[in-house]
Amino acid sequence: MPEPTQTKASPNNMADTDIAIVRIAPETSFKNKAYEALKEAILKMDIYATPEPVMLDERALSERLGVSRTPIREAIAMLEQDGFVKTVPRRGIVVVRRTKAEIVDMIRAWAALESMAARLITTTARKKDITALRDFFKDFGPDRLPQDHVEEYSKANIAFHQALISLSESPVLVDLTNDLLLHVRGYRQLTIGRKDRTATSLPEHLGIIEALEARDTELAEKRARDHTLGLAAYVEAHGQELFT
Amino acid sequence: MPEPTQTKASPNNMADTDIAIVRIAPETSFKNKAYEALKEAILKMDIYATPEPVMLDERALSERLGVSRTPIREAIAMLEQDGFVKTVPRRGIVVVRRTKAEIVDMIRAWAALESMAARLITTTARKKDITALRDFFKDFGPDRLPQDHVEEYSKANIAFHQALISLSESPVLVDLTNDLLLHVRGYRQLTIGRKDRTATSLPEHLGIIEALEARDTELAEKRARDHTLGLAAYVEAHGQELFT
DNA sequence: TCATAGTTTTTGGCATGCCAAATACCAGAA
DNA sequence: TTCTGGTATTTGGCATGCCAAAAACTATGA
């Protein structure tokens, strides 16, 4: 379960000279530093490139990061909760590889969460915030097609989806989808062949925005859901060769 | 992110005398035992009963469980990933209390996932499995009203929802909702005043089942969503006095 | 009595070292 | 050369002990 993303400042009213002293920087521990470092490293590496499973070594990592094994082990335990690694007792720590079915499954869950976000947005978000979603695609149009700038469009795409979810004002939806995205994105071959999907993507995005602006709850929900379910179907249909 | 629930037996074909030797019991480590024990303890305690935050002590726990602090700390790190506890550097480990807004938010996410499950079920589940969902409520009817046996109905209720999600054959949906349920259930005052909601619950459940049987994807999704969103609205409206 | 400086205690963070299981490696026999 | 038994090595699991920050406590003085 995700943490609430916020770090609420305690509203305790002290004396009159209350200068919003929140509490000095928690100086992130080695454990957390190791967690972040390992997580980033895992997301950066291309897990699906090699047929052999990717292994991690506690001692090597501790040496690499300049800390003892203890904080490393705690970080590994956290990553295992996230589902990024799996430690096998006297064998080693292996970076988890997702099957196509699992990726598709995750995208479906993502679709569920995003459609709920769309639903909430129609009832609470401000008009200007909704309209601002168009800016993510302002560099694309009939004269500058997304399919001709796949990499760039891909970034705008992800930014759009994250901004969309954020508009729901729901920390749980935000955190859950971010977690899912991390897993799905790790499967970067998703980029391959995305070209033929990119063409339909932009109009669908705009359709979602329009429904949101119209405060059409049911339509916005449906469009958001179908759009992401479309991706799931695409991966399911065109992804087999990408998994060993 | 949740682990896939399965523990797939490796299908490596050895010699001819392959007697399905799967791999001796992994003998769960102290770390995992501690994790399970602490998790259960946290879920069992009534966090919202006292106004003071509930604290945990590493040393006390290690003594209590008869292990050293190391596996305890690793278990704590895992629980922190789950969002059950929060360790504050030189202060202690505090069991996280959810605000009403957070609980409502979680229920909404749950609604999203469950409606997607309903959607999937209409296209893949077997008729007999869907019909079997009625069994959870076979002990209730016009002559034996749910609101007269709230405790019993509550258990049937949860069992029904979990069985429903399972029918989706989606490990991700199952794991995510289970995680959410653990947090929501911890807020056990949810039981209070549930009596007036129980009356409408049963018909709604049956309505969901009917839509599933009719393979009406849209209707099943809508009914599942609205049912759980109804709970969210209920908590939002009637739950303020339950949070300090 | 109350404020304050100084001391002790508590508490999580972390380094170290040993253990046993699993594996890799190697020499000797067939 | 190949199989086999045994030994060295690797690897995660865990116990221990010390450290510094923060809190609790105490003695001192106005």
Side-chain angles (χ1 to χ4, degrees):
Chain A
M1 196 63 343
E3 284 289 317
T5 308
Q6 38 148 329
T7 320
K8 80 175 84 172
S10 58
N12 51 1
N13 38 2
M14 304 160 50
D16 41 10
T17 53
D18 188 354
I19 329 174
I21 293 187
V22 277
R23 176 173 275 283
I24 299 198
E27 301 174 37
T28 76
S29 58
F30 285 166
K31 170 183 69 177
N32 289 309
K33 286 182 182 175
Y35 171 74
E36 295 300 336
L38 292 179
K39 187 169 171 180
E40 186 186 336
I42 290 176
L43 292 177
K44 190 169 297 179
M45 67 174 71
D46 198 340
I47 324 171
Y48 302 95
T50 70
E52 315 83 46
V54 180
M55 306 289 288
L56 300 182
D57 180 73
E58 284 185 9
R59 290 167 224 264
L61 291 175
S62 76
E63 197 171 322
R64 202 68 170 267
L65 296 180
V67 296
S68 82
R69 286 176 55 210
T70 306
I72 298 288
R73 283 180 55 78
E74 293 173 350
I76 296 287
M78 296 165 72
L79 288 170
E80 188 161 10
Q81 282 302 100
D82 290 339
F84 287 118
V85 301
K86 166 84 180 163
T87 109
V88 187
R90 292 272 150 44
R91 311 267 297 168
I93 302 159
V94 51
V95 179
V96 172
R97 302 158 71 102
R98 301 293 173 181
T99 65
K100 188 184 74 169
E102 287 173 330
I103 296 290
V104 170
D105 200 14
M106 288 183 182
I107 298 178
R108 285 209 198 94
W110 170 22
L113 299 170
E114 189 158 308
S115 68
M116 177 60 75
R119 162 170 285 264
L120 296 178
I121 291 171
T122 61
T123 67
T124 64
R126 290 177 303 181
K127 169 90 175 185
K128 56 166 292 191
D129 290 333
I130 297 176
T131 303
L133 289 175
R134 295 182 190 276
D135 291 346
F136 288 106
F137 306 109
K138 67 175 186 298
D139 292 338
F140 303 96
D143 54 323
R144 194 162 183 277
L145 296 172
Q147 50 266 45
D148 294 333
H149 307 269
V150 175
E151 199 55 38
E152 188 183 345
Y153 181 76
S154 175
K155 283 181 181 166
N157 185 19
I158 294 192
F160 164 75
H161 280 285
Q162 292 189 323
L164 175 67
I165 304 271
S166 296
L167 278 189
S168 72
E169 303 271 8
S170 162
V172 174
L173 291 182
V174 170
D175 291 343
L176 286 179
T177 50
N178 276 340
D179 286 352
L180 287 173
L181 265 181
L182 288 184
H183 286 275
V184 172
R185 273 197 354 186
Y187 175 52
R188 63 187 58 194
Q189 270 72 6
L190 215 59
T191 328
I192 301 176
R194 192 174 44 196
K195 203 164 182 172
D196 49 329
R197 230 192 95 70
T198 307
T200 65
S201 177
L202 184 50
E204 287 181 10
H205 285 167
L206 297 181
I208 294 173
I209 296 175
E210 286 168 11
L212 292 175
E213 288 175 327
R215 307 290 177 180
D216 189 333
T217 304
E218 304 300 326
L219 185 60
E221 176 185 73
K222 175 178 170 51
R223 285 185 176 169
R225 167 172 32 81
D226 290 349
H227 170 64
T228 303
L229 279 184
L231 174 60
Y234 178 83
V235 172
E236 185 163 43
H238 298 74
Q240 35 264 64
E241 72 281 2
L242 303 176
F243 292 87
T244 332
Chain B
M1 198 57 352
E3 283 290 316
T5 309
Q6 40 149 329
T7 320
K8 81 174 86 171
S10 59
N12 50 2
N13 40 0
M14 304 160 52
D16 41 7
T17 52
D18 189 355
I19 329 174
I21 293 186
V22 278
R23 177 173 276 280
I24 300 199
E27 304 175 36
T28 76
S29 58
F30 284 165
K31 171 182 69 177
N32 289 309
K33 286 182 181 174
Y35 172 74
E36 294 299 335
L38 292 179
K39 187 170 172 181
E40 186 186 335
I42 290 176
L43 292 177
K44 189 169 297 178
M45 67 175 69
D46 198 340
I47 323 170
Y48 302 95
T50 70
E52 315 84 45
V54 180
M55 305 290 287
L56 299 181
D57 180 74
E58 284 185 7
R59 291 168 223 264
L61 291 174
S62 76
E63 197 171 321
R64 206 62 173 270
L65 296 179
V67 297
S68 83
R69 286 175 55 210
T70 306
I72 298 289
R73 282 181 55 78
E74 292 173 349
I76 296 287
M78 295 165 72
L79 289 169
E80 188 161 11
Q81 282 303 101
D82 290 340
F84 287 118
V85 302
K86 168 84 179 161
T87 108
V88 188
R90 292 274 148 43
R91 312 266 297 169
I93 302 159
V94 50
V95 179
V96 172
R97 303 158 70 102
R98 299 295 173 180
T99 65
K100 188 184 75 169
E102 288 173 330
I103 296 291
V104 170
D105 200 14
M106 288 184 182
I107 298 178
R108 285 208 200 94
W110 170 23
L113 299 170
E114 189 157 307
S115 68
M116 177 60 76
R119 163 170 285 264
L120 296 179
I121 291 171
T122 60
T123 68
T124 64
R126 290 177 304 183
K127 169 88 174 186
K128 55 166 294 193
D129 289 333
I130 296 176
T131 304
L133 289 175
R134 295 180 191 278
D135 292 346
F136 289 106
F137 306 109
K138 67 177 187 297
D139 293 337
F140 303 96
D143 53 324
R144 193 161 184 278
L145 296 172
Q147 50 265 47
D148 294 332
H149 307 269
V150 175
E151 199 57 37
E152 188 183 346
Y153 181 76
S154 176
K155 284 182 181 169
N157 185 19
I158 292 192
F160 164 74
H161 280 285
Q162 292 189 323
L164 175 67
I165 303 271
S166 295
L167 278 188
S168 72
E169 304 272 9
S170 163
V172 174
L173 292 182
V174 169
D175 291 343
L176 286 179
T177 50
N178 276 339
D179 287 351
L180 286 173
L181 266 181
L182 288 183
H183 285 275
V184 173
R185 274 199 350 187
Y187 175 51
R188 64 186 59 196
Q189 271 72 5
L190 216 58
T191 328
I192 301 176
R194 191 173 44 197
K195 203 163 183 172
D196 49 329
R197 230 192 98 68
T198 307
T200 64
S201 176
L202 184 49
E204 288 181 8
H205 285 166
L206 297 181
I208 294 172
I209 296 176
E210 286 168 10
L212 292 175
E213 288 174 327
R215 307 291 178 179
D216 189 333
T217 304
E218 304 300 328
L219 184 61
E221 176 186 71
K222 174 178 171 53
R223 285 185 175 169
R225 166 169 35 78
D226 290 348
H227 170 64
T228 303
L229 279 184
L231 174 60
Y234 178 85
V235 172
E236 185 162 44
H238 297 76
Q240 35 263 64
E241 71 281 2
L242 302 175
F243 293 86
T244 330

